[in-house]
Amino acid sequence: MSVFAVSKEVLMTVIQELGKTHELHGPRVDRASGQVFFERAGAAEDIALEAELPSMPPKELFFPQVDRLLKYRYDSAARSVELTRLGQERPKALIGLRPCDLAAIQCLDRFFLGQEYVDEVYRTHRRKSFIVTYTCNEPARQCFCVCFHTGPAAEEGFDLNVTRLASGYLLEAGSEQGRALAVGLGLRPATEEQRMEKERVVERSIALFPEKATGNKAWASRVMNRVTTGFVKPEVWEEIGKKCFECGGCSYVCPTCSCFNVEDACGAEGECERLRTWDSCSLESYTRMAGDHNPRKLVEDRRNKRFFCKLSYSQSKKYLRPGCVGCGRCVWVCPGDIGLPSVVEQVKS
Amino acid sequence: MKAEAKITIVDFPEVVNIDEIRDEAPEVKTFYLSFLDPRLEAGFRIRSGQFIMCTVFGAGEFAVSLPPSPERDRLHITVRAVGKVTHALHRLRPGDKLGVRGPFGNGFPFEEIKGKNVIYVAGGIGLIPLRSSIIHVLQHREAFGRIILLYGARTSRDLLYREDIREWQKTPGFETFVAIDRAESGWDGEVGYVNTLIGKANVPVENTAAFVCGPPVMFNGVIAELLKRGMSEDDIVSTLERNMKCGYGKCQHCAIGRTLVCTDGPVYTYRQIKTLGEGI
Ligand SMILES: Cc1cc2nc3c(=O)[nH]c(=O)nc-3n(C[C@H](O)[C@H](O)[C@H](O)COP(=O)(O)OP(=O)(O)OC[C@H]3O[C@@H](n4cnc5c(N)ncnc54)[C@H](O)[C@@H]3O)c2cc1C
Ligand code: SF4
Ligand code: SF4
């Protein structure tokens, strides 16, 4: 891997250079609420690299909450129809992506671009993107990436990875386009000492995680075995189900959740758009069929499904890794206190 | 023989014309379709048991089985009006257009069951997804043993494909047992639930494949009866129905345990159904 050492100013130059060919997206701290959003940035300086994990994952960029797939108008007099594909390629640079969110994008890539069919809609959004990850110097309270081996430093899948050192930054190129950019700008190769310093940054970061997360290597895998084989008592799902408010929040904030609904929205003039919108398996309507038949009517069955998706090896086959990346957002958002770690604990006990 | 490239219309619907509409039963109509694009009209191939996603312009899209035989048959769908999109479909007339994506799904076994007896057990509109396989098997009559159709519906008016059934009966050795739930004047066929026909037909269980499709109550009754008679769980095949939004394995609405009905199914053996890890 080509590794470079840069000052803050040079790092800004790298981002500015990317901004010439890509839309820039990165973390922004909202002054009023203190919340962090991963958003379109006007300029390199607007990106708050060191801000904590954004409250919403960046999946929106490749899997928009509301995506317009196609439009048509049915001419009922001529009885003809013209369909037009919507959605266009926009090169995007994601700056300051945290390692867990990168792992989640890899899950989405494997899910949408692998399998039997390629999802062209996702591919169009994803194509021509450039990913700059940022090593987490310290975990936030809800983080448990170490349990799922996604952080606190990204190991692969980025174009460039940035690590803050005592002075300046270490820049690792993880792809040919990342290397080309760095070489093109004539960046200075890092010294052995600077590379070693990054290792120490990562070690220190890992040491800051609570013992619970780092002490027991089998924390998640033991539960994954049980969830995969169905070796979980129905009472446990019932308990978990009782706590769910059926708000769907967990799915919306989860960087790997990608279920969607499709509907045709039509205006008064008969012009219609086919929309793909985020959906959640926690909602009763998710599996409901005509005649009010619902094979997954009970909330515990629906919760069971979510955690099967996140914690079973069957689902992992599609992502080539577990479906949870340990970002902890569902812990933040869930009003019922059944974020993923607490479910792992309940299944265990 | 040169293998033809398989056409799958994945995410952007292709337009078809409704050539003809037939009333099949109350609330059930059959729509005969042809692609506007001649390349598709000539090259669109299906397997029995597959389905398409059908767009009713201005209303939305829904999943629907393909009743035509893969060989020598007209493209058509048979639809019961149950909700928003299917009612909008029923309001259309010949000459109106629809959108089609697919074909999706695995389909019924055909080569694998050659040499066996084949039993079809259908309840109500459960005959729709079985029609394709029935015709295909009859088109190759000599390759199979006994071929038996057990079909039940609520009333005589609810029986689908009545003309077809009369046509099929001309094939030598095609055994049909049709029943309605309650006696009606003028009805001289069987009366009772479909599972009672299993005994009447004295169905074989050795070297036999059974294709079962219908509402859950009927399904459970039939399966219990077949198993009781010694049929293997691997020889009982059914097709499952789930809410579906994409048809190609991405929206995840049709997940049952670890399987996706759209790409892994919709056809499963009873043994598979039992071990999906979630109720049906
Ligand atoms: C593989 C497969 C094959 C099918 N084959 C046939 C067929 O040959 N003939 C036929 O009449 N029907 C068939 N169905 C059922 C048909 O798809 C539903 O009746 C239809 O989607 C109802 O849509 P609606 O908008 O009219 O009903 P609403 O109740 O208004 O539906 C709302 C939404 O729920 C979903 N939905 C509701 N019921 C079902 C259901 N039973 N299955 C899947 N999604 C549902 C639809 O996506 C729909 O957009 C099949 C379903 C599947 C999955
Ligand atoms: S399940 Fe929760 S912790 Fe895991 S990736 Fe999703 S939001 Fe993050
Ligand atoms: S966030 Fe919590 S309460 Fe809301 S749907 Fe998810 S599990 Fe249920």
Side-chain angles (χ1 to χ4, degrees), chain A residues 240-241 243-253 280-283 299 303 306-307 329-340 343:
Chain A
I240 293 168
K243 294 183 184 165
C244 179
F245 286 78
E246 306 178 43
C247 64
C250 48
S251 306
Y252 299 148
V253 301
S280 169
C281 61
S282 64
L283 308 177
V299 60
R303 291 308 59 196
R306 170 169 166 80
F307 297 108
R329 287 186 178 95
C330 56
V331 182
W332 268 342
V333 81
C334 181
D337 190 25
I338 39 170
L340 191 120
V343 167

Side-chain angles (χ1 to χ4, degrees), chain A residues 23-171:
Chain A
E23 284 176 7
L24 295 178
H25 296 263
R28 177 185 68 84
V29 185
D30 181 61
R31 284 236 187 76
S33 64
Q35 276 206 70
V36 184
F37 296 97
F38 202 90
E39 282 184 351
R40 177 88 187 258
E45 308 76 66
D46 300 341
I47 295 172
L49 266 187
E50 268 136 65
E52 61 178 278
L53 189 74
S55 45
M56 289 299 281
K59 72 176 172 186
E60 164 78 23
L61 290 172
F62 303 137
F63 175 57
Q65 185 160 5
V66 178
D67 203 0
R68 300 161 64 229
L69 303 187
L70 55 95
K71 64 173 183 186
Y72 62 80
R73 173 201 291 273
Y74 190 68
D75 183 337
S76 38
R79 301 206 277 172
S80 64
V81 65
E82 192 86 20
L83 292 109
T84 315
R85 203 187 267 278
L86 300 173
Q88 58 201 17
E89 224 169 65
R90 292 172 8 228
K92 304 174 201 95
L94 282 61
I95 314 289
L97 198 71
R98 296 305 178 116
C100 56
D101 281 343
L102 172 67
I105 288 176
Q106 291 178 300
C107 287
L108 296 182
D109 284 352
R110 289 161 188 160
F111 179 73
F112 280 117
L113 307 177
Q115 318 305 315
E116 190 176 343
Y117 294 99
V118 168
D119 188 86
E120 287 300 333
V121 180
Y122 181 87
R123 181 148 78 176
T124 304
H125 290 301
R126 179 73 171 89
R127 206 156 30 200
K128 299 202 178 147
S129 52
F130 193 105
I131 291 180
V132 182
T133 40
Y134 187 78
T135 305
C136 299
N137 295 60
E138 54 182 308
R141 199 155 35 101
Q142 83 288 344
C143 298
F144 59 104
C145 57
V146 282
C147 303
F148 283 106
H149 313 287
T150 60
E155 279 166 14
E156 47 138 24
F158 50 80
D159 294 298
L160 289 173
N161 179 50
V162 180
T163 308
R164 198 182 75 224
L165 304 178
S167 123
Y169 296 85
L170 194 82
L171 209 59

Side-chain angles (χ1 to χ4, degrees), chain B residues 2 24 41-42 101 116 138 153 173 193 195 223 270:
Chain B
K2 216 177 101 209
E24 204 65 59
E41 185 54 22
R101 298 191 293 115
K116 294 191 180 194
L138 289 178
Y193 295 129
N195 43 333
I223 300 283
Y270 183 63

Side-chain angles (χ1 to χ4, degrees), chain A residues 189-307:
Chain A
T191 63
E192 190 53 30
E193 171 49 29
Q194 284 165 321
R195 292 170 183 236
M196 297 296 288
E197 190 186 344
K198 180 206 161 183
E199 299 307 314
R200 289 195 298 276
V201 166
V202 176
E203 276 164 32
R204 203 178 318 123
S205 180
I206 292 175
L208 291 171
F209 279 84
E211 164 67 18
K212 192 176 82 181
T214 51
N216 181 358
K217 286 266 176 274
W219 182 78
S221 57
R222 288 237 315 270
V223 167
M224 287 186 68
N225 280 331
R226 289 171 63 173
V227 171
T228 310
T229 51
F231 201 66
V232 180
K233 288 208 187 81
E235 302 90 86
V236 176
W237 292 126
E238 268 168 47
E239 272 310 303
I240 293 168
K242 266 188 216 143
K243 294 183 184 165
C244 179
F245 286 78
E246 306 178 43
C247 64
C250 48
S251 306
Y252 299 148
V253 301
C254 181
T256 65
C257 271
S258 67
C259 288
F260 59 81
N261 198 357
V262 177
E263 62 184 307
D264 289 6
C266 300
E269 304 290 307
E271 71 292 358
C272 299
E273 281 186 350
R274 177 156 295 172
L275 305 178
R276 173 196 270 203
T277 55
W278 289 359
D279 204 345
S280 169
C281 61
S282 64
L283 308 177
E284 204 259 341
S285 60
Y286 185 83
T287 45
R288 197 198 302 142
M289 297 193 277
D292 235 6
H293 174 57
N294 194 343
R296 220 187 276 150
K297 192 165 181 63
L298 297 174
V299 60
E300 56 257 36
D301 292 347
R302 284 179 263 139
R303 291 308 59 196
N304 175 334
K305 176 61 196 168
R306 170 169 166 80
F307 297 108

